[in-house]
Amino acid sequence: WTERLCLLCLDVGSKLAMGIAFVIIRANEYHRTLTSVLKHVSTSNVALISILRGSFDFMLPCTADETGNCKLPPTSASDMLRLESELGRPIAGLQIGELLCDERERESFTAYVKNTLRQAETQDSFSMMTLSTQGEWSTEHPGQAPPVAQVLNCRMACGITAPMEKGHKAVRCAIHLSVVPQSSLTFGQTSWRLMAAV
């Protein structure tokens, strides 16, 4: 009986040790893979931000909802402070639409936000795409490529908080919206984080 008990304990102990060893090995492999993916994504994001900074003057984080409202954060970052100086008015916490000159431009911007969010929702088919060093997209559908980025040309009102009136100064600008990737586990979301390049 004692011999059987010892053999049983040794058997169970060896199996547990092997199981723990395999878990540790797999955890290290998973950690290395995840670290590699995060480095790749981070490098890609830095490259994209660099491209945007080469074409636009201000990079503004904002939050958009399904109605097309796009709200700036309540605190002013460095780019927001520079844009405030350019417009001569505070912009922290405002809707980007409130910065525009008239109702027609606000309606165009709202439609632009909705279209940007709609494109982001249908980009699951582009999530597995890769771009080769030769500039070729690899995808399960030959000839398919990501959608072309759009830019909205508009005017921002200077020095006022009310809608644009005759005689007030306005600054012509181009706005590009880019949706920040969300977790695939986020269901029923009602707001999206965006980056507005102006």
Side-chain angles (χ1 to χ4, degrees), residues 30-170:
Y30 176 75
H31 178 71
R32 284 196 297 271
T33 302
L34 184 60
T35 302
S36 175
V37 170
L38 288 175
K39 284 182 179 178
H40 177 71
V41 171
S42 176
T43 302
S44 299
N45 287 339
V46 169
L48 292 174
I49 293 296
S50 297
I51 292 172
L52 287 175
R53 282 214 172 270
S55 304
F56 296 90
D57 296 317
F58 310 101
M59 301 293 294
L60 310 173
C62 54
T63 305
D65 59 30
E66 55 193 6
T67 63
N69 291 320
C70 194
K71 188 174 183 179
L72 295 169
T75 55
S76 295
S78 58
D79 278 11
M80 288 180 62
L81 290 173
R82 291 195 299 117
L83 183 57
E84 286 179 349
S85 176
E86 185 75 23
L87 298 178
R89 59 185 294 196
I91 64 173
L94 295 180
Q95 307 281 351
I96 292 181
E98 294 179 86
L99 305 178
L100 303 181
C101 286
D102 54 42
E103 190 62 31
R104 187 181 64 179
E105 294 201 354
R106 282 190 282 275
E107 290 175 357
S108 297
F109 180 75
T110 298
Y112 174 51
V113 173
K114 290 181 179 179
N115 184 55
T116 301
L117 297 179
R118 186 166 50 251
Q119 283 190 352
E121 289 176 347
T122 59
Q123 281 186 14
D124 290 339
S125 58
F126 302 109
S127 60
M128 299 304 292
M129 277 188 161
T130 56
L131 181 63
S132 70
T133 54
Q134 290 77 32
E136 295 292 333
W137 291 100
S138 62
T139 175
E140 57 184 12
H141 304 293
Q144 187 181 36
V148 177
Q150 297 180 352
V151 173
L152 179 69
N153 293 302
C154 56
R155 294 177 303 148
M156 288 188 175
C158 296
I160 55 173
T161 56
M164 181 68 176
E165 297 176 2
K166 187 175 180 180
H168 285 290
K169 182 184 174 186

